[in-house]
């Protein structure tokens, strides 16, 4: 009978808390969709400030603007966390054309990859070797690569449902292409843009020369998917055609920048931290609305939504707007370094850096037992059509926080349109839908609310009751 | 032992068929994403033909084009099903402004509602009564409505996650507003566009005068959401302002048009029919890419995807491109009437008429037992992030097929952006994403494949084994 009462009370308690969780989550979604701030913040960040590459004036303005806006929210603390960041500039617009052996030229759309060196003053002109990847390049060997421009043309795989998987399957060409081709004596690298759509936008992104001596560092650019198709077709007809490109980019000395941080201090466990964030920097083409203006304003609104929904966090909730995710990850590393040096106990970190599209769920980097606990909350998200709870990666900026016990998570929005805009001039405000952005902010706030309420400690399971 | 063998064989059979179902579905998705035709068909339908209101030249061209394209697929039969349809024309562009008592005028964006009468030659000018719905209008009574323009301004509810619910909660203003206001002696009706976004596009749509005598039929128009906000704000400052609008639309005599039908005749049960369809007509603003060009081309591709995936349907699969969903549903009614007169046994019908966005799942109109059977297939869709299997409505065009035994279903894509474009000039090809469209076609083809393979008969359940 005593046992029965215990069960009864347990069930009753679970029911009451489940009910109030459902109500609180409903309030959060409703507030976001009727009184959200994320879209208005993004409008300013995108249209009034624009591109925010680390070390740029835009990045500086974005730091000032988001700090000011967080200060208006009445959080317990708002501060800047200094961090030295790389500064790379694009310089004059890139210029490229294909030239047939008859001397006819066709202009093509390229952009320098972030971190690339410039071309010599007169540009680079050479014959082209088309390869489908780094393995194929290596197999060609020095003889057939020396003095040539290497054209990496492996397209993203269209029949993968998750477009991030398709991205992951091709990004080595962009990141390591110049390194590998430089070792073989190539004079330049042209990479097919990481875009599933056929269009005219070249997509930039980070690349490395690793340990390559300066003399072997060759200029590297992305070419639009339409022009990659064109170049490939023309090469099939005339393998001896030449390609010309000129770019003016430069790596300058590191400069001082900041992570922007705001905190609601916990009412019961102030020394336990929950982080929600996105990255404040963007590439210099477009205005970084999806990557990652969306994640920035959603993260800011998480704290605001909790406040206006009348939720008093037990734990300390921090919004962290990381600087320099795109070409260095210095902000993410700095935040983790300081947190470690201060011995701050971080229990949960959530990043939104996959675009501002309709949220579908989360990917969790945690133990199996913690994941089971999280799965117990999934039903609460069903009314909001959030269905994707899977183990997997989280986000680049929060990665350095990884340690035993912490749960890391990434928001997973619908991914179909993301790479149409990613790192390109069309990553702009008009490509973001207000409701989709707001649904993302509410989904994040709801998960933060649950982690704040229940923590990450793994509770007694049914097994505990076994003899 | 015999019992054990039976179970063993059953499990083995189920496993083998489940495996080949998974493989077939994978093939369907892969074909759609790498070799789909839906996007190219839609490009032609949207950009080369354009708007397709019943009775228009566009509708006529769309009939010819889709018939021709279906004929290219090598189906067993392709034919046109004659149907008389209403013909309403917009005439000259509408014109409207707000005039303050000081005589200052502000232009606003309106469009006639489909089926509306024209204004008198000199337009309509009157004071405005703003109401939040039909109940509020009725409560005002004849005295306060007579001689006025009634302005229905109830917005779609932003905190409903399913935007179709928000649409359903407001569409009575558009559909019955002029009928109700006409009965009370109003001289015109202006309805806030059914759009969750604030922008400048007026959204048309169907309306009724029901049994109202011609003398009481008043002109009715939609106003953009931005201008609805403006009008409401100006009315709050000056309730005596006047509103002017002029429109030139006309209802003409019915004309002959067609449903376009293609069929793969079943190899085992040719007399059992499965229908997949969308509607070929669209409103006259924009080019009807989402509503319902998307559904048309997806449905066409369902049959093509089955063929190129090497699937030989056991049952007869028909694609039906219905005419006149928007303002009469004549095509849907005609198809059902003919099917009934021929005693054709339809077991399943699926409609795509909710936009070409990322598919999330289906809504099923069927018995509980049939729904349980369908739920058994849900896991097969998980790799494609299809998670929404719920009971509910299906589609307007297939509705008239409803009878005992048939399963009706509607594709349910992500709904967040749909009403940004619905019935407005921005329902255009550029708003459709190729991959999202193709995922929808594959999702539909996969469900059709399963219904073809397993039928709709409810099989023996576990209960059958009970003593």
């Amino acid at each position: 009978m005593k046992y029965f009462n215990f069960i009864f009370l347990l069930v009753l308690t679970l029911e009451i808390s489940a009910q109030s969780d459902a109500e609180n989550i409903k309030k959060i979604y409703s507030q976001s969709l009727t009184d959200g701030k994320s879209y208005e913040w993004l409008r300013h960040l995108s249209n009034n400030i624009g591109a925010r590459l680390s070390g740029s004036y835009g990045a500086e303005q974005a730091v000032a603007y988001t700090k000011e806006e967080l200060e208006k929210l009445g959080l317990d603390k708002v501060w800047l966390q200094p961090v030295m960041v790389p500064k790379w500039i694009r310089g004059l617009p890139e210029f490229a054309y294909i030239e047939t052996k008859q001397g006819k030229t066709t202009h093509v759309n390229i952009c320098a990859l972030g971190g690339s060196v410039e071309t010599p003053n007169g540009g680079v002109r050479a014959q082209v070797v088309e390869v489908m990847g780094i393995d194929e390049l290596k197999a060609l060997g020095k003889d057939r690569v020396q003095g040539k421009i290497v054209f990496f043309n492996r397209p993203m795989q269209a029949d993968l449902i998750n477009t991030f998987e398709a991205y992951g399957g091709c990004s080595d060409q962009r990141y390591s292409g110049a390194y590998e081709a430089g070792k073989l004596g190539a004079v330049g690298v042209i990479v097919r843009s990481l875009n599933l759509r056929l269009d005219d936008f070249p997509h930039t992104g980070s690349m490395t020369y690793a340990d390559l001596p300066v003399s072997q560092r060759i200029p590297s650019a992305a070419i639009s998917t339409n022009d990659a198709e064109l170049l490939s077709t023309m090469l099939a007809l005339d393998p001896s055609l030449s390609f010309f490109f000129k770019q003016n980019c430069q790596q300058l000395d590191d400069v001082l920048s900041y992570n922007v941080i705001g905190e609601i201090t916990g009412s019961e466990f102030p020394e336990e931290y929950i982080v929600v964030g996105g990255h404040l920097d963007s590439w210099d083409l477009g205005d970084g609305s999806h990557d990652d203006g969306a994640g920035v304003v959603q993260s800011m609104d998480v704290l605001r939504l909790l406040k206006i929904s009348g939720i008093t966090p037990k734990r300390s909730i921090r919004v962290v707007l990381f600087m320099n995710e795109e070409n260095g990850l210095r902000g993410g590393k700095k935040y983790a370094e300081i947190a470690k040096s201060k011995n701050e106990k971080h229990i949960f970190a959530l990043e939104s850096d996959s675009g501002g599209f309709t949220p579908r769920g989360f990917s969790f980097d945690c133990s199996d037992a913690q994941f089971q606990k999280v799965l117990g909350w999934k039903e609460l998200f069903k009314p909001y059509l959030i269905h994707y709870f899977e183990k997997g990666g989280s986000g680049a900026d929060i990665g350095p926080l990884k340690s035993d016990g912490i749960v890391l998570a990434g928001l997973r929005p619908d991914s179909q349109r993301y790479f149409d805009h990613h790192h390109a001039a069309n990553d702009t405000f008009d490509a973001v839908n207000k409701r989709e952005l707001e649904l993302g902010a509410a989904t994040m706030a709801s998960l933060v609310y649950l982690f704040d309420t229940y923590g990450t400690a793994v509770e007694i399971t049914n097994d505990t009751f076994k003899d």
Side-chain angles (χ1 to χ4, degrees), chain A residues 285-306:
Chain A
L285 309 171
D287 59 36
S289 283
H290 276 294
D291 187 12
D292 184 26
V296 163
V297 299
Q298 287 173 326
S299 299
M300 290 166 69
D301 223 10
V302 166
L303 275 69
R304 183 181 157 277
L305 290 171
L306 294 175

Side-chain angles (χ1 to χ4, degrees), chain A residues 66 98 186:
Chain A
T66 51
I98 303 168

Side-chain angles (χ1 to χ4, degrees), chain A residues 290-357:
Chain A
H290 276 294
D291 187 12
D292 184 26
V296 163
V297 299
Q298 287 173 326
S299 299
M300 290 166 69
D301 223 10
V302 166
L303 275 69
R304 183 181 157 277
L305 290 171
L306 294 175
K307 275 184 87 86
I308 64 174
S309 301
I311 293 164
T312 307
K314 295 197 263 187
R315 295 167 166 89
S316 293
I317 318 276
R318 282 187 186 162
V319 52
V320 184
L321 310 178
F322 297 95
M323 183 51 69
N324 186 230
E325 189 271 348
E326 294 294 3
N327 57 342
L329 208 66
R330 301 278 184 88
K333 288 175 185 161
K334 176 60 75 178
Y335 181 81
E337 176 197 317
I338 303 275
K340 198 175 171 190
S341 76
K342 292 192 170 170
N343 233 341
E344 288 171 350
K345 185 183 177 192
H346 281 70
I347 66 153
F348 174 55
L350 169 62
E351 181 155 4
S352 167
D353 183 20
S354 304
F357 299 96

Side-chain angles (χ1 to χ4, degrees), chain A residues 111-113 116-117 174 178 189 191 207 209 218-222 245 247:
Chain A
C111 68
L113 293 179
S116 173
V117 297
R174 187 194 74 203
V189 160
V191 185
M207 57 153 297
Y209 293 114
I218 58 175
S220 180
F245 74 117
Q247 55 194 35

Side-chain angles (χ1 to χ4, degrees), chain A residues 383-453:
Chain A
Y384 313 100
L385 305 179
I386 300 301
H387 63 101
Y388 185 90
F389 274 49
E390 300 290 339
K391 286 194 78 171
S394 57
D397 296 292
I398 60 174
L401 283 172
K402 191 172 167 82
S403 67
D404 285 353
I406 192 172
V407 176
L408 303 178
L411 182 71
R412 292 294 171 259
D414 196 282
S415 75
Q416 299 310 320
R417 294 178 184 227
Y418 186 59
F419 291 99
D420 297 355
H421 304 278
H422 183 247
H423 297 182
N426 64 336
D427 183 2
T428 47
F429 184 64
D430 59 291
V432 176
N433 177 277
K434 182 171 182 281
R435 290 177 59 83
E436 293 179 0
L437 184 75
E438 290 167 348
L439 283 170
T443 304
M444 293 166 71
S446 299
L447 187 67
V448 165
Y449 159 74
L450 290 167
F451 271 104
D452 176 62
T453 305

Side-chain angles (χ1 to χ4, degrees), chain A residues 101-341:
Chain A
K101 55 178 174 237
Q102 295 80 15
K104 306 218 167 167
T105 60
T106 305
H107 171 262
V108 290
N109 296 289
I110 67 156
C111 68
L113 293 179
S116 173
V117 297
E118 64 185 333
T119 55
N121 239 340
V124 168
R125 181 192 312 268
Q127 288 191 339
V128 178
V129 188
E130 177 177 354
V131 292
M132 286 296 142
I134 287 169
D135 287 346
E136 190 181 334
L137 173 74
K138 286 181 178 168
L140 284 179
K142 205 159 188 160
D143 283 356
R144 293 165 69 186
V145 171
Q146 193 130 32
K148 301 271 172 64
I149 289 171
V150 175
F151 169 37
F152 289 96
N153 194 27
R154 184 165 83 258
M156 286 170 72
Q157 200 181 321
D159 60 354
L160 293 172
I161 305 301
N162 178 347
T163 62
F164 284 84
E165 256 183 72
Y167 177 72
C170 281
S171 56
D172 62 332
Q173 300 178 106
R174 187 194 74 203
Y175 191 70
S176 307
Y179 170 70
E180 299 292 350
K183 283 197 292 188
L184 297 174
V187 294
V189 160
I190 299 294
V191 185
R192 182 191 182 97
S193 284
L194 295 171
N195 176 10
L196 280 152
R197 194 164 69 169
L198 291 174
D199 64 28
D200 297 328
F201 295 101
H203 293 229
T204 190
S206 63
M207 57 153 297
T208 184
Y209 293 114
D211 55 1
L212 221 53
V214 172
S215 63
Q216 286 179 43
R217 298 186 176 188
I218 58 175
S220 180
I223 187 167
S224 77
T225 47
N226 272 340
D227 288 331
E229 294 286 304
L230 177 73
L231 177 55
S232 183
T233 306
M234 289 179 72
L235 278 170
L237 296 171
D238 173 11
S240 71
L241 62 73
S242 65
F243 192 92
F244 172 85
F245 74 117
K246 183 164 160 54
Q247 55 194 35
N248 182 231
C249 41
Q250 270 193 307
Q251 192 75 48
L252 307 177
D253 289 339
D254 288 2
V255 297
L256 179 64
S257 188
Y258 305 92
N259 293 328
V260 180
I261 308 176
E263 181 183 303
I264 300 175
T265 305
S267 60
E268 280 184 47
F269 313 110
E271 320 247 293
E272 289 192 15
Y273 295 94
I274 289 174
V275 163
V276 58
H279 63 85
L280 206 43
D281 65 309
S282 76
W283 279 107
D284 58 332
L285 309 171
D287 59 36
S289 283
H290 276 294
D291 187 12
D292 184 26
V296 163
V297 299
Q298 287 173 326
S299 299
M300 290 166 69
D301 223 10
V302 166
L303 275 69
R304 183 181 157 277
L305 290 171
L306 294 175
K307 275 184 87 86
I308 64 174
S309 301
I311 293 164
T312 307
K314 295 197 263 187
R315 295 167 166 89
S316 293
I317 318 276
R318 282 187 186 162
V319 52
V320 184
L321 310 178
F322 297 95
M323 183 51 69
N324 186 230
E325 189 271 348
E326 294 294 3
N327 57 342
L329 208 66
R330 301 278 184 88
K333 288 175 185 161
K334 176 60 75 178
Y335 181 81
E337 176 197 317
I338 303 275
K340 198 175 171 190
S341 76

